[in-house]
Amino acid sequence: MSEFTFHTTPKIVVRPGATAQTAEICGAILGKRVLFVTDKGIRSVGLERSAIASLESAGHSVTIFDGVEADPGLATLEQAVAIARESSATGVLALGGGSSLDIAKLAALLAGSGEPIDSAWGVANAKGPRLPLVLIPTTAGTGSEVTPVSIITVGGEEKRGVSSPLILPDAALLDAELTTSLPAAATAATGIDAMVHAIEAYASQNANNNPMSRMLACEALTLLGAHIETAVNQPDNIEARSAMLLGSTLAGMAFANSPVAAVHALAYPIGGTFHIPHGLSNALVLSQVLRFNAAETQNGSYRLYAQLGEYVFPDLDRGGGAQEQCSRFIENLSALSAKLGLPPRLRDVGIAEDDLPKMARDAMKQTRLLINNPRTVSEADALSIYKAAW
């Protein structure tokens, strides 16, 4: 067995309604002055109220920062850090989607350490220490509550990341009741996003790909595949919502240690330039990237994708060889996206064919992801994949 290292969030609470017990569960972690990170959409429907009420009734002071936007930019992060410092925050709590959780991670790091963000970009460059950190996801997709990664949009379009175990939170609360108001389209896109995390983690060429990540990826795909249609079509089904949330977290644990690859690398220019939600960006290129990887048989990815078919689609025909099984798996993933109502092609989200060359150039900047892909991706390859997805 190859050597590996496995990092994850040390405390995970899975309980519908847990948000109303925020102080009881993690008040001691956060301290008395809490920076509460969220977005205006969350506040418009009041999802944050029970967590804040729990903290305030237990004697914590709460300073709210709700300026997080989709694909948050550097200015947003700087504003959150400034508020954390001004309020003398003793801990940071985020409730929201991946954007809010990513801002909270870096706000806790920068406010706690005083280090500049420019010295933290990349892998294992953050110095720390950080402020105590608790994350409460409201979508079943990013897995950010268990990943050592935060992504920020820099210069308007470029996605730049910090990857360090230092920004893993001290605790994560998985409260499925928070996800029942998520619209069908967002439920579908974030669910596919979680599937992508598991698929890419399972087939990652990273040296730290390991048995624990592969096991978690398989269980994540089992949960996600069995419940995604119910969660989309029956939004108040707590059993389905709980399964999706746990599946997302397990996929997050998998790719936090066996990192993702070309699907994400090619998705980032779609989100960064055209502001397409991250989950949908992944869904738009997923099948074409898998086909590209599987076409080169020497890397063996087609065998790995074939193995995953039974977890997502238990009734999938297992006849024929691994290549046939791989093809059926990819075809069924495409059919699932269409069945869930997601746009099937890049042109359907307003991307013009003339935009594809710049997207290919931008995708090449994601070297930390592309290095994990089973097959080497050149700029010409990226352009061909985009054209196939267009």
Side-chain angles (χ1 to χ4, degrees):
M1 182 183 298
S2 300
E3 295 180 359
F4 67 93
T5 301
F6 194 90
H7 295 285
T8 196
T9 300
K11 181 177 182 178
I12 301 171
V13 177
V14 183
R15 185 187 307 158
T19 308
Q21 302 168 321
T22 297
E24 176 187 340
I25 295 169
C26 55
I29 295 172
L30 291 166
K32 288 299 182 182
R33 297 182 301 279
V34 180
L35 175 67
F36 194 104
V37 179
T38 188
D39 63 64
K40 290 180 172 58
I42 292 292
R43 296 198 74 188
S44 70
V45 294
L47 290 185
E48 84 292 356
R49 291 173 189 162
S50 62
I52 293 173
S54 173
L55 289 167
E56 290 182 339
S57 65
H60 300 264
S61 66
V62 179
T63 301
I64 299 173
F65 174 68
D66 64 2
V68 181
E69 74 276 30
D71 299 311
L74 192 56
T76 302
L77 172 61
E78 291 169 344
Q79 188 178 2
V81 172
I83 292 172
R85 290 171 176 163
E86 290 166 7
S87 63
S88 300
T90 56
V92 178
L93 183 148
L95 186 148
S99 295
S100 291
L101 273 53
D102 278 5
I103 288 292
K105 288 176 177 179
L106 291 185
L109 174 70
L110 302 182
S113 66
E115 62 189 291
I117 185 62
D118 285 340
S119 69
W121 296 126
V123 179
N125 291 324
K127 301 295 188 297
R130 61 155 173 78
L131 295 176
L133 178 64
V134 174
L135 302 180
I136 307 177
T138 58
T139 63
T142 68
S144 185
E145 66 277 2
V146 289
T147 68
V149 178
S150 176
I151 304 297
I152 302 295
T153 302
V154 179
E157 294 186 4
E158 181 186 353
K159 298 274 193 174
R160 195 174 293 178
V162 173
S163 178
S164 168
L166 282 172
I167 60 174
L168 278 167
D170 299 292
L173 275 61
L174 306 186
D175 180 355
E177 291 182 0
L178 296 176
T179 68
T180 59
S181 61
L182 196 67
T187 299
T190 53
I192 295 294
D193 187 20
M195 287 185 175
V196 173
H197 293 154
I199 293 166
E200 291 211 288
Y202 193 84
S204 178
Q205 292 302 294
N206 189 276
N208 203 56
N209 192 338
N210 62 85
M212 291 178 67
S213 285
R214 291 193 292 273
M215 174 187 68
L216 290 164
C218 292
E219 181 61 20
L221 289 170
T222 298
L223 289 168
L224 296 165
H227 294 93
I228 189 168
E229 290 184 57
T230 303
V232 169
N233 297 318
Q234 302 174 30
D236 293 328
N237 188 312
I238 286 294
E239 180 181 356
R241 291 291 193 177
S242 296
M244 292 297 294
L245 192 53
L246 180 57
S248 172
T249 297
L250 296 180
M253 294 169 73
F255 91 84
N257 295 278
S258 178
V260 293
V263 177
H264 276 71
L266 270 68
Y268 280 153
I270 300 172
T273 302
F274 301 97
H275 307 292
I276 305 301
H278 177 64
L280 178 55
S281 297
N282 275 327
L284 286 164
V285 296
L286 171 60
S287 296
Q288 297 302 335
V289 172
L290 298 190
R291 289 190 179 100
F292 169 81
N293 289 341
E296 183 184 83
T297 57
Q298 279 189 320
N299 64 56
S301 61
Y302 73 95
R303 297 186 185 277
L304 300 176
Y305 299 149
Q307 291 167 9
L308 293 178
E310 65 181 292
Y311 296 102
V312 186
F313 308 108
D315 298 327
L316 194 65
D317 181 2
R318 301 295 293 168
Q323 288 179 317
E324 293 176 61
Q325 294 170 25
C326 170
S327 294
R328 284 194 288 269
F329 173 56
I330 296 171
E331 289 165 7
N332 274 261
L333 285 174
S334 294
L336 177 61
S337 288
K339 191 174 184 180
L340 296 173
L342 295 176
R345 307 191 68 83
L346 294 174
R347 69 185 72 181
D348 298 323
V349 295
I351 296 175
E353 191 171 12
D354 290 346
D355 295 320
L356 304 183
K358 178 182 182 300
M359 290 164 55
R361 291 193 297 273
D362 289 345
M364 290 299 98
K365 298 175 184 177
Q366 301 299 327
T367 53
R368 70 177 180 87
L369 303 177
L370 292 171
I371 197 172
N372 302 317
N373 200 58
R375 182 179 177 185
T376 300
V377 181
S378 68
E379 185 177 324
D381 292 329
L383 180 58
S384 294
I385 293 169
Y386 282 137
K387 285 181 176 179
W390 190 79

